[in-house]
Amino acid sequence: MPAVSKGDGMRGLAVFISDIRNCKSKEAEIKRINKELANIRSKFKGDKALDGYSKKKYVCKLLFIFLLGHDIDFGHMEAVNLLSSNKYTEKQIGYLFISVLVNSNSDLIRLINNGIKNDLASRNPTFMNLALHCIANVGSREMAEAFAADIPRILVAGDTMDSVKQSAALCLLRLNRTSPDLVPMGEWTARVVHLLNDQHLGVVTAATSLITTLAQKSPDDFKTSVSLAIARLSRIVTSASIDLQDYTYYFVAAPWLSVKLLRLLQCYPPPEDGALRGRLTECLETILNKAQEPPKSKKVQHSNAKNAVLFEAISLIIHHDSEPTLLVRACNQLGQFLQHRETNLRYLALESMCTLASSEFSHEAVKTHIETVINALKTERDVSVRQRAVDLLYAMCDRSNAKQIVAEMLSYLETADYSIREEIVLKVAILAEKYAVDYTWYVDTILNLIRMAGDYVSEEVWYRVIQIVINRDDVQGYAAKTVFEALQAPACHENLVKVGGYILGEFGNLIAGDSRSSPLVQFKLLHSKFHLCSVPTRALLLSAYIKFINLFPEVKGAIQEVLRSDSQLRNADVELQQRAVEYLRLSCIASTDILATVLEEMPPFPERESSILAKLKRKKGPGNLPNIEEVRQEREKERSLNGTAEHKDSSDTASKTSLYPSADLLGPAAPPPSTGASLLVDVFSDSLPAAAHTPLDMSPATASGDNFSRFICKNNGVLYENQLLQIGLKSEYRQNLGRIYVFFGNKTSTQFLNFTSTLNVHTKPADPTIDAGAQVQQILNIECLSDFTDAPVLDIQFRYGGTLQNFGVKLPVMLNKFFQPTEMVSQDFFQRWKQLGAPQQEVQKIFKAKHAMDTEVTKAKIIGFGTALLDGVDPNPTNFVGAGVIHTKSTQVGCLLRLEPNTQAQMYRLTLRTSRETVSQRLSDLLSEQF
């Protein structure tokens, strides 16, 4: 509130505030407030017209009452009337009340807008500023619609006062943030950019903030600002502090404007013009030189302002990444801050050096500070600084220092804060794999990791170590020996048991020659951990035991005894019970040759990007976490529904079924596993493959109700769930044929009677009775006769507790399920694209992204949709291109798709071309729902 004269001090307001402060209890305060509200209401409704001073005083009291937390339902009209006053103090209180209490849906908004328009047109700078401040404070869409066209005109008008220009620029910035589509900058762009040359530095500062925001949205429209920003920055950094007296802060010339100009330049690449580039380099060198000078003041404000400009200059140097000398100088100056007494400066130095470490010019310079960073990791008190130290060690790691850095991280892991342990584990696992020259070191490192921080070792980490061991013959024997020794410890983490079970089950024969690790010793060692493990780990160990029967016939009797025990055959967990029964039967009836074929060693996994990297990106990435995490959970749910998983060998000629749960060792980052030929051979016979018999995991699912749309890009999962029933699906498709296994789970303690589920296709009927807590399976055979839109509905009816339950569930049978992916080279793709050029063959849809725009998730969805993902076809590497053929009984329909993401606008453009119009439209509708 502005200073007021003695006669304008609103004594009544001061007395009221004093009374409130002197109240001894909440009840006394409410009583005093109610008394005042009654008085104000009577004054407003009285016959006697109030003068401006009285209105202002009473409106102020209402405002104070509102700020105390009480509702105000009158006085708004009096506040609006104050806008028409010619006195500053009255108008100011009116605007203050409106900014705080009036919402955009108020009936008074039209009167308020008229008052604001009158003030904007008045050319009185004080009134114009009040109006602009009110627009910015409210910042609603209605305000933007009313004034977005007027404010740029005020901003660039030649006769506008400097203070009004500042307010107009900041008001426009506010409206651009709240309603960017309503701010028309096209015709004003050049004149707004020219404000960077204004003589008043306050105007330049406000204009720079506005231009930076607009340049991030439309960089091409504001690229002329680069030369003006460099010229203005050059004048500031080369001036003496006395030249800019009004804008010098503790001997630092215009620090806020300098920071804003440097931030604006980070919206663009280095200037192509040599002279301009040289001038910018000179500015940056001057800033670096000034930072080295002795401080002109011992006050913290001086060092803060000086360091703010320095760090922003270093950010620009890192952004341009083109001047080796500047990069090395920046690294050296940041190195001086690593041991600074100010925690914030140490944090900022570590953070900036993380980015510098990724530059080829400054990587070596960053590595010279490795000892200082390691020391910070050990001695730093602040956990956020220690976390940045871990990030920097990770960034500066290469082959020359990998073993030292990994050893230090492992050492720190024992005492690290719980909040960052998982991230350290991921980073150690990535570095150990990336820079492993000797894979025995990699195996030792991961096992140490599991021993030290087993609870923080995610599935992706132990999946990856098994994948690497399986793919490299030279390390398999060493891995088997090492895990065998590690398992001999009295207490082992469950993840170590998982790795040990998997590796010994595959490669235990490589160490069986030693009497200390004979087959029986290996089996007894693994089985000694069995009773301590969770159900998934026990399932994996049972799979290891059946592998032992193939590798070591001499332990067959001991293993069969375990499988035959009541604790296995009558296990409460259906997964363990089924494995024990099937493995026991397999070991009894199968010949040696059949057993060797079924239990053959796992083939090498195809080389793909490590899923640990993807997990680390998800952990660090801003904004994308929930959706990507949801994808991970869905993929893991698919694994539990599959029970077993398949993967192809590198030659793509064989497909073997893994006996281990969660056998997709590539983890969530990998595309869904290809359906192997061996599984599809018998899809339409009456007997079901072993993998398909695996029951659903009936643990509580996250899905409830109808999850139809989630099945567009996947084939397995929980389709429907309520308090009584859970319905899960496992489906397989080949050309125009499909088979769906529907699992009905009774979640109650009461039997379902007269259970029926009917569909207008050939089905094998479900069991009419579902016991409490049990599940039954129904098989549906599907054939696609022609292209279609509506999905079939499964009608379910049963009696529960004497009450008839009847409802329908839409089955996720969509047109894209009958896709066969088609691989194409670029030339064939564009030739076919031109052939499908008729208007009725193309459907294009532009839509807003519903989820985070993540490349890996998008790839997985396109592959899950059924098409082949074609790399290197589209000239723009950020676009996605796919091809496939829809198979029906009567015809085949070729399909080409192109998905163009725009991350800035958070929009997609999807283009589909097929030989049939209805197919194009249906596929477009289905796929666009997924993004």
Side-chain angles (χ1 to χ4, degrees), residues 730-928:
K730 184 180 189 310
S731 49
E732 300 157 339
Y733 294 90
R734 186 184 185 190
Q735 295 184 354
N736 67 312
L737 302 174
R739 173 172 279 183
I740 300 177
Y741 309 105
V742 187
F743 297 88
F744 301 98
N746 182 347
K747 296 173 62 179
T748 71
S749 57
T750 304
Q751 195 178 54
F752 291 169
L753 300 174
N754 302 329
F755 187 93
T756 60
S757 60
T758 55
L759 188 71
N760 192 21
V761 292
H762 171 61
T763 66
K764 293 188 175 182
D767 193 319
T769 303
I770 305 181
D771 291 332
Q775 59 180 323
V776 297
Q777 173 188 285
Q778 183 179 22
I779 303 172
L780 311 178
N781 291 325
I782 308 275
E783 182 175 10
C784 181
L785 303 177
S786 61
D787 61 276
F788 61 95
T789 301
D790 297 328
V793 176
L794 190 65
D795 292 315
I796 297 166
Q797 184 173 307
F798 59 91
R799 287 197 173 273
Y800 167 69
T803 305
L804 183 66
Q805 306 287 332
N806 193 349
F807 55 89
V809 176
K810 198 190 299 184
L811 277 180
V813 180
M814 306 86 159
L815 191 57
N816 67 294
K817 297 298 181 184
F818 302 96
F819 252 129
Q820 285 291 106
T822 305
E823 295 292 340
M824 283 185 173
V825 297
S826 179
Q827 182 179 353
D828 294 341
F829 179 87
F830 285 110
Q831 183 178 353
R832 180 64 177 150
W833 185 266
K834 290 176 183 175
Q835 290 171 357
L836 297 171
Q840 67 272 19
Q841 294 176 326
E842 178 181 288
V843 171
Q844 189 172 91
K845 183 179 280 191
I846 298 173
F847 53 93
K848 193 81 175 171
K850 301 173 187 172
H851 309 290
M853 300 178 75
D854 182 88
T855 302
E856 292 304 317
V857 174
T858 304
K859 286 181 179 178
K861 285 183 177 178
I862 291 174
I863 293 170
F865 191 65
T867 64
L869 186 64
L870 308 181
D871 292 325
V873 170
D874 198 297
N876 185 343
T878 62
N879 293 345
F880 304 93
V881 175
V885 176
I886 297 281
H887 286 260
T888 70
K889 185 176 181 181
S890 56
T891 186
Q892 296 181 6
V893 182
C895 170
L896 303 177
L897 72 85
R898 186 185 194 204
L899 182 67
E900 302 167 84
N902 183 336
T903 52
Q904 285 186 338
Q906 290 291 297
M907 302 281 285
Y908 286 102
R909 178 166 65 187
L910 174 64
T911 309
L912 268 151
R913 290 189 180 184
T914 74
S915 51
R916 187 169 295 186
E917 181 180 0
T918 54
V919 173
S920 300
Q921 187 61 56
R922 181 57 181 154
L923 292 178
S924 173
D925 294 341
L926 287 171
L927 188 55
S928 61

Side-chain angles (χ1 to χ4, degrees), residues 71-86:
D71 291 333
I72 298 297
D73 57 2
F74 69 99
H76 299 74
M77 192 64 202
E78 283 70 19
V80 172
N81 290 338
L82 286 175
L83 298 188
S84 58
S85 171
N86 288 324

Side-chain angles (χ1 to χ4, degrees), residues 629-683:
E629 192 64 22
E630 181 184 338
V631 171
R632 181 183 74 81
Q633 289 166 357
E634 285 185 5
R635 290 293 307 275
E636 289 187 356
K637 190 192 292 181
E638 285 176 27
R639 280 199 212 102
S640 69
L641 289 164
N642 282 327
T644 59
E646 299 129 19
H647 69 273
K648 288 190 177 182
D649 67 3
S650 54
S651 62
D652 208 31
T653 58
S655 175
K656 300 181 179 64
T657 304
S658 165
L659 296 173
Y660 299 98
S662 302
D664 179 7
L665 296 185
L666 295 176
S674 304
T675 308
S678 63
L679 181 61
L680 283 177
V681 167
D682 201 27
V683 165

Side-chain angles (χ1 to χ4, degrees), residues 26 74 372 382 433 645 772:
K26 186 70 177 175
F74 69 99
T372 309
D382 192 301
E433 178 188 342

